[in-house]
């Protein structure tokens, strides 16, 4: 683990940094760099909807050609599926040797979509939170932990650059974990697919559908399978599984263990091992990139399928009952 005391901002203090993209991570990391007194530019496509937003935040916008020429460090924060094209169009033959590329996800490097020249420093600084949290915690004089890694170390200062950059976005206030591009990529994809996104959303929908198909009111199913999830997740976030189980009833805790031992562990572990294998062998990456080449045909079919699911229709009505949606009710 590394912390503020291990990071020397001098390694990037006089460098010109350009953040490629101004989305969730892009805006947060750029603003944190700016507030840390690092000269920071934003690179966006000429038709980007984020140009005005970035200008209002005080950034100068560079065209890709100018960004590559001017910058000492490029931070690649555009979507995974767009990074390969950007790299080979603008960076591969135009970026000066000894300069640095920073990624916040190792997808394109690990899966060989980008095979960088060996004359660049290639590093990873991956905050473990969405961009708005990276920004809000920084403003609160706090931060979110981050993973750091070095893939290529041309000038022998790559780790120091990663540490300095992580400090400037606030992550070293909490802690930095040294890893590899491979491990960050594979664990990140696995977590998203098996637990955080795919796992949770599938569990919610399956539970909701099971109750509704058994004749229970959709509103009851929504409360039990989705609404109350936040209460449990908050307890887990604050104190782990042990504290969550301490806070719930004996009935709920007994049901937790019984269901896990008799059903979930026997089924989920087998499925999760298949998910992990599919990530490790590159099959998921191939399917994702193939769908991108088809204008995300499958992704858009999935979006259309689930956006009108009964759980969304019921949830929209129920959420209007709560105080955080009061303005929506009166409007």
């Amino acid at each position: 683990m590394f912390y503020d005391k291990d990071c020397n901002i001098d390694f990037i203090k006089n460098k010109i940094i350009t953040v490629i993209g101004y989305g969730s991570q892009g805006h947060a990391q750029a603003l944190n760099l700016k507030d840390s007194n690092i000269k920071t530019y934003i690179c966006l496509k000429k038709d980007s909807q984020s140009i005005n937003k970035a200008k209002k935040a005080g950034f100068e916008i560079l065209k890709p050609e100018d960004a590559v020429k001017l910058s000492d460090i490029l931070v690649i924060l555009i979507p995974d599926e767009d990074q390969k094209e950007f790299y080979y169009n603008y960076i591969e033959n135009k970026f000066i040797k000894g300069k640095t590329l920073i990624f916040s996800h190792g997808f394109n490097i690990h899966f060989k979509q980008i095979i960088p020249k060996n004359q660049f420093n290639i590093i990873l600084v991956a905050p473990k939170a969405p961009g708005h949290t990276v920004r809000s915690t920084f403003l609160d004089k706090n931060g979110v932990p981050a993973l750091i890694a070095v893939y290529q170390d041309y000038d022998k200062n790559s780790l120091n650059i990663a540490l300095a950059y992580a400090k400037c976005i606030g992550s070293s206030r909490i802690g930095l974990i040294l890893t590899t591009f491979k491990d960050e990529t594979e664990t990140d994809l696995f977590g998203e697919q098996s637990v955080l996104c795919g796992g949770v959303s599938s569990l919610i929908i399956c539970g909701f559908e099971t109750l509704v198909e058994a004749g229970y009111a959709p509103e009851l199913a929504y409360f039990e399978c989705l609404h109350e999830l936040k209460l449990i997740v908050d307890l887990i976030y604050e104190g782990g599984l042990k504290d969550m189980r301490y806070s719930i009833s004996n009935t709920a805790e007994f049901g937790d263990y019984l269901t896990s031992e008799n059903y979930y562990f026997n089924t989920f572990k087998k499925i999760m091992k298949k998910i992990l294998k599919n990530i490790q062998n590159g099959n998921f990456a191939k399917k994702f990139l193939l769908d991108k080449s088809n204008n995300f045909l499958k992704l858009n079919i999935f979006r259309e399928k689930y956006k009108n699911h009964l759980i969304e229709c019921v949830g929209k009505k129920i959420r209007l009952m709560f105080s955080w949606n009061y303005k929506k009710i009166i409007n």
Side-chain angles (χ1 to χ4, degrees):
M1 294 285 290
F2 299 89
Y3 299 94
D4 271 355
K5 63 181 176 59
D6 305 304
C7 308
N8 185 350
I9 292 180
D10 288 346
F11 283 97
I12 66 170
K13 183 172 63 175
N14 297 317
K15 304 289 188 183
I16 295 174
I17 297 179
T18 297
V19 174
I20 314 296
Y22 201 71
S24 175
Q25 285 293 333
H27 92 280
Q29 293 189 33
L31 287 167
N32 291 2
L33 289 168
K34 184 169 173 283
D35 288 350
S36 296
N37 297 314
I38 302 298
K39 183 62 176 176
T40 308
Y41 294 94
I42 302 296
C43 176
L44 293 168
K45 295 184 292 186
K46 62 181 180 180
D47 58 347
S48 172
Q49 297 180 354
S50 298
I51 289 177
N52 289 335
K53 188 187 301 182
K55 284 183 176 179
K56 286 181 180 178
F59 291 106
E60 182 178 342
I61 311 301
L62 299 179
K63 294 184 293 187
E65 299 87 347
D66 296 332
V68 172
K69 184 187 302 183
L70 178 67
S71 306
D72 300 299
I73 299 173
L74 292 175
V75 188
I76 313 298
L77 295 178
I78 53 178
D80 290 331
E81 64 269 20
D82 297 329
Q83 292 180 12
K84 177 181 178 180
E85 181 180 2
F86 187 92
Y87 175 83
Y88 285 107
N89 282 349
Y90 300 109
I91 298 174
E92 169 79 353
N93 296 315
K94 299 165 187 173
F95 205 40
I96 298 174
K97 68 178 181 180
K99 292 189 175 184
T100 301
L101 296 177
I102 297 179
F103 295 84
S104 282
H105 185 31
F107 183 95
N108 281 281
I109 297 295
H110 175 56
F111 289 119
K112 308 299 183 185
Q113 295 303 298
I114 295 174
I115 302 176
K117 287 186 173 180
N118 59 13
Q119 63 188 27
F120 306 141
N121 301 312
I122 308 293
I123 64 180
L124 176 86
V125 180
K128 300 309 293 176
H132 68 270
T133 306
V134 173
R135 180 59 179 161
S136 63
T137 54
F138 180 91
L139 292 173
D140 290 337
K141 309 299 181 185
N142 208 319
V144 300
L147 304 180
I148 59 173
V150 175
Y151 184 78
Q152 284 183 180
D153 188 16
Y154 180 82
D155 68 2
K156 309 305 178 187
N157 273 321
S158 295
L159 180 58
N160 288 322
I161 293 171
L163 291 170
Y165 183 90
K167 182 172 184 176
C168 289
I169 64 170
S171 289
S172 60
R173 296 171 180 173
I174 304 302
L176 310 171
I177 301 172
L178 187 63
T179 184
T180 65
F181 273 68
K182 173 184 181 296
D183 287 1
E184 184 277 333
T185 302
E186 293 178 354
T187 56
D188 185 73
L189 292 175
F190 177 79
E192 290 169 352
Q193 293 175 30
S194 67
V195 180
L196 304 177
C197 304
V200 169
S201 60
S202 297
L203 195 63
I204 289 170
I205 290 173
C206 285
F208 176 86
E209 289 180 348
T210 299
L211 287 177
V212 172
E213 289 166 8
Y216 298 98
E219 292 78 9
L220 289 179
Y222 182 89
F223 273 111
E224 298 302 333
C225 298
L226 190 153
H227 176 78
E228 293 189 20
L229 182 65
K230 183 183 185 306
L231 308 177
I232 299 300
V233 170
D234 284 349
L235 291 170
I236 294 172
Y237 182 81
E238 292 168 7
L241 294 172
K242 182 179 178 182
D243 276 17
M244 179 274 289
R245 285 166 171 155
Y246 173 81
S247 300
I248 61 178
S249 68
N250 289 336
T251 313
E253 186 182 5
F254 183 76
D256 172 348
Y257 298 133
L258 194 65
T259 302
S260 298
E261 294 289 335
N262 290 349
Y263 301 103
Y264 287 161
F265 288 161
N266 293 332
T267 303
F268 285 2
K269 285 283 286 291
K270 294 176 183 177
I271 296 171
M272 286 183 174
K273 287 179 180 179
K274 291 181 180 179
I275 293 171
L276 181 58
K277 190 69 175 177
N278 195 51
I279 291 168
Q280 292 172 328
N281 62 22
N283 283 341
F284 168 76
K286 290 176 184 176
K287 290 179 180 178
F288 173 71
L289 294 169
L290 178 62
D291 198 43
K292 195 268 181 181
S293 68
N294 289 323
N295 296 315
F296 284 126
L297 177 63
K298 285 187 177 179
L299 179 59
N300 287 318
I301 289 173
F302 286 139
R303 285 171 174 166
E304 194 65 28
K305 175 182 177 181
Y306 287 106
K307 75 177 184 180
N308 295 316
H309 190 283
L310 178 61
I311 197 170
E312 300 293 352
C313 301
V314 173
K316 186 176 181 181
K317 295 178 182 178
I318 288 178
R319 287 190 294 273
L320 289 173
M321 298 164 54
F322 294 92
S323 59
W324 63 80
N325 272 319
Y326 180 69
K327 290 182 180 178
K328 294 181 182 178
I329 297 175
I330 61 176
N331 290 332

